[in-house]
């Protein structure tokens, strides 16, 4: 837990803290997975977390099983002041009281306290070893039940392909996968409850529209591979002004001359191109975004605010919720305005993604008068 995250926990002092990680162990997970267990044990025993006397940690570390490996990590910490909390057993179909601290790793398939699935390989055939999928847990605080879903959707493999159509082919793949998750968590097997879905959705700005807006009146130079005639680079130049280069686009290059456009006023001028959630408007709700795009940040420790020139910056990391979860939050909010949706560590290097968090209070059985209020914090 970096200094930014620790500060958020300290500031909000949540009673229930949910932390969802993706690509746990990093890109070189074979080499670095050995460090993960040490990190988790240190986190559980750290001074910052000493008031959290119960915890559940679910780490998918079983990278040798390509069929099942998702590299997802879900952490749930319960504050000592939280008295009445239960977790759902999906096999026994009943709630169990949460006591002590438990870490589950390797074979999450045999753990009845969660549901885990990897997306079918044919969802994204060009990516041979995709780790994308989801993990779902269900909780009940007092009389308030909700699902927490850790999700990782498919990325854009090529900036050039993403630019070709609007919406992009990758947007279509994410739409299909997210629809699959939502259908799965509200199917007939279990009672329907409110749900929060948070993780790396890999939502991207509509590339064709963004480029047209950023490079208005530009002329485009197309560079093709000599042997295959395939487009390998696009160069957008100003029509006048000495034909200054505005944008260079390759499979993994998005080099725009003025990064400030993504940071000015938190990039909100670009939110009109963030369209992937629109198709789910009846099934997923999100608070207003007032933070800059969460990806792709420089991994240079001294460049906390800088974006990498690999992809068009976008709001990949989100905290979304069902209509009933929205009611739960906003009904409780009317008592105290404490709903905060923001990113963590704006000036600190946090890796290529900035974590995003939602902090709120829910009154269990929200709507009942004088119900005790609990603080919750979910961190993407």
């Amino acid at each position: 837990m970096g200094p930014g995250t620790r500060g958020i926990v300290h500031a909000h002092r949540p009673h229930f803290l949910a932390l969802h990680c993706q690509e746990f162990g990093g890109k070189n997970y074979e080499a670095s997975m050995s460090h993960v267990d040490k990190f988790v044990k240190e986190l559980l025993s750290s001074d910052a977390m000493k008031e959290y006397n119960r915890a559940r940690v679910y780490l998918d570390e079983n990278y040798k099983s390509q069929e099942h490996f998702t590299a997802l990590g879900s952490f749930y910490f319960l504050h000592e002041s939280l008295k009445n909390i239960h977790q759902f057993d999906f096999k026994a179909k009943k709630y169990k009281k949460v006591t002590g601290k438990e870490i589950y790793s390797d074979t999450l398939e045999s753990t009845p306290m969660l549901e885990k699935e990897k997306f079918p390989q044919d969802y994204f055939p060009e990516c041979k070893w995709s780790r994308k999928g989801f993990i779902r847990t269900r909780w009940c605080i007092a009389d308030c039940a909700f699902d927490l879903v850790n999700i990782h959707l498919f990325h854009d493999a090529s900036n050039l392909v993403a630019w070709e159509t609007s919406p992009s082919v990758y947007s279509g793949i994410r739409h299909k996968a997210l629809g699959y998750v939502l259908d799965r968590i509200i199917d007939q097997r279990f009672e329907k409850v409110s749900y929060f879905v948070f993780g790396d959705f890999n939502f991207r700005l509509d590339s064709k529209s963004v480029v047209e807006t950023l490079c208005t009146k530009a002329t485009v130079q197309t560079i093709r591979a000599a042997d295959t005639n395939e487009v390998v680079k696009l160069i957008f130049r100003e029509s006048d002004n000495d034909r200054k280069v505005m944008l260079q686009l390759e499979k993994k290059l998005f080099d725009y001359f003025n990064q400030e456009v993504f940071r000015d006023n938190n990039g909100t001028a670009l939110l009109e191109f963030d369209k992937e959630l629109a198709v789910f408007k009846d099934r997923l709700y999100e608070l207003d975004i007032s933070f800059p795009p969460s990806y792709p940040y420089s991994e240079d420790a001294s460049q906390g605010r800088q974006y990498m020139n690999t992809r068009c910056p976008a709001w990949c990391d989100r905290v979304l919720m069902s209509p009933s979860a929205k009611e739960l939050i906003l009904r409780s909010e009317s008592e105290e305005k404490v709903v905060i949706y923001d990113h963590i560590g704006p000036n600190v290097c946090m890796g290529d993604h900035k974590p995003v968090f939602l902090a709120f209070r829910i009154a269990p059985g929200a709507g009942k008068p004088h119900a005790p209020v609990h603080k919750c914090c979910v961190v993407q």
Side-chain angles (χ1 to χ4, degrees):
M1 185 178 290
T5 313
R6 197 160 51 234
I8 292 295
V9 172
H10 187 72
H12 295 280
R13 309 197 77 76
H15 295 164
F16 185 107
L17 172 61
L19 175 65
H20 285 178
C21 303
Q22 301 79 42
E23 294 291 8
F24 213 71
K27 297 280 192 286
N28 305 316
Y29 46 82
E30 292 98 331
S32 54
M33 206 57 96
S34 58
H35 303 298
V36 165
D37 296 333
K38 181 171 180 278
F39 163 76
V40 171
K41 288 190 175 75
E42 284 186 9
L43 177 59
L44 286 177
S45 60
S46 70
D47 207 42
M49 304 304 289
K50 67 175 184 291
E51 292 176 8
Y52 294 84
N53 61 351
R54 289 148 297 165
R56 291 294 180 272
V57 178
Y58 303 104
L59 304 173
D60 190 358
E61 299 181 338
N62 190 17
Y63 59 83
K64 293 193 173 79
S65 171
Q66 290 294 353
E67 185 188 346
H68 297 294
F69 182 51
T70 62
L72 293 172
S74 297
F75 297 71
Y76 305 101
F77 301 98
L78 315 180
H79 194 269
E80 58 196 13
S81 63
L82 192 58
K83 295 292 180 260
N84 195 6
I85 182 150
H86 293 76
Q87 188 183 0
F88 192 65
D89 181 319
F90 288 97
K91 289 206 170 57
K93 294 194 177 184
K94 62 183 182 190
Y95 287 94
K96 296 184 173 175
K97 194 170 177 69
V98 182
T99 59
K101 297 179 180 180
E102 296 175 4
I103 302 172
Y104 297 86
S105 59
D106 241 15
T107 52
L108 296 187
E109 281 68 37
S110 59
T111 308
M113 307 309 285
L114 59 79
E115 284 200 317
K116 186 192 107 174
E117 276 192 65
K118 188 168 156 172
F119 297 118
Q121 190 62 47
D122 62 1
Y123 271 40
F124 199 31
E126 69 180 89
C127 192
K128 195 177 174 203
W129 296 123
S130 170
R131 295 180 289 283
K132 309 301 191 286
F134 71 94
I135 289 177
R136 166 204 200 183
T137 54
R138 176 170 290 190
W139 304 84
C140 188
I141 300 178
D143 54 0
C144 175
F146 51 89
D147 280 353
L148 300 179
V149 182
N150 185 352
I151 193 168
H152 194 184
L153 297 182
F154 301 98
H155 60 286
D156 279 17
S158 165
N159 294 327
L160 294 168
V161 173
W163 176 79
E164 284 169 3
T165 57
S166 173
S168 77
V169 292
Y170 304 118
S171 167
I173 294 166
R174 287 188 284 273
H175 176 190
K176 183 178 175 184
L178 182 52
Y180 176 87
V181 174
L182 296 181
D183 290 345
R184 193 85 177 114
I185 62 178
I186 61 165
D187 62 18
Q188 300 303 311
R189 295 168 304 140
F190 306 105
E191 181 192 355
K192 288 184 175 61
V193 300
S194 300
Y195 52 84
F196 295 87
V197 187
F198 52 110
D200 179 6
F201 291 83
N202 260 315
F203 289 161
R204 306 300 169 101
L205 304 185
D206 186 73
S207 189
K208 201 155 191 61
S209 311
V210 170
V211 170
E212 281 169 8
T213 303
L214 293 179
C215 303
T216 317
K217 298 183 182 151
T219 55
V220 187
Q221 177 186 354
T222 303
I223 298 170
R224 297 177 180 273
D227 48 351
T228 62
N229 209 32
E230 180 188 4
V231 175
V232 292
K233 185 168 190 165
L234 297 171
I235 302 174
F236 297 78
R237 298 176 186 273
E238 287 190 28
S239 304
D240 42 30
N241 194 22
D242 294 332
R243 296 187 40 75
K244 176 183 161 189
V245 173
M246 301 178 75
L247 172 69
Q248 297 181 76
L249 206 61
E250 295 176 12
K251 181 179 179 179
K252 292 187 178 179
L253 177 75
F254 187 98
D255 188 0
Y256 188 61
F257 78 100
N258 176 23
Q259 271 205 6
E260 286 306 313
V261 72
F262 303 109
R263 287 191 288 261
D264 283 347
N265 197 22
N266 290 324
T268 44
L270 298 168
L271 275 170
E272 65 174 292
F273 306 114
D274 178 74
K275 300 175 179 177
E276 295 194 34
L277 197 51
V279 286
F280 295 101
K281 67 179 188 301
D282 300 326
R283 304 174 75 183
L284 286 170
Y285 172 78
E286 181 178 33
L287 272 76
D288 290 339
I289 289 176
S290 58
F291 48 87
S294 64
Y295 171 86
Y297 280 92
S298 168
E299 293 177 304
D300 178 335
S302 65
Q303 300 286 331
R305 286 169 51 79
Q306 188 77 12
Y307 288 106
M308 280 194 285
N309 293 329
T310 49
R311 308 285 184 193
C312 177
W315 287 273
C316 293
D317 306 276
R318 319 280 275 257
V319 181
L320 310 179
M321 66 198 81
S322 64
S324 60
K326 168 195 169 186
E327 291 299 314
L328 199 64
I329 286 182
L330 298 184
R331 203 182 307 156
S332 305
E333 187 198 21
S334 58
E335 298 150 31
E336 287 182 71
K337 292 273 186 216
V338 287
V339 179
I340 300 168
Y341 186 36
D342 205 349
H343 67 323
I344 296 175
N347 303 309
V348 183
C349 177
M350 306 282 282
D352 56 350
H353 290 258
K354 290 272 191 229
V356 166
F357 77 99
L358 177 67
F360 57 91
R361 293 169 179 259
I362 51 170
K368 290 182 184 174
H370 312 303
V373 173
H374 291 299
K375 287 182 175 181
C376 289
C377 182
V378 293
V379 180
Q380 185 328 66

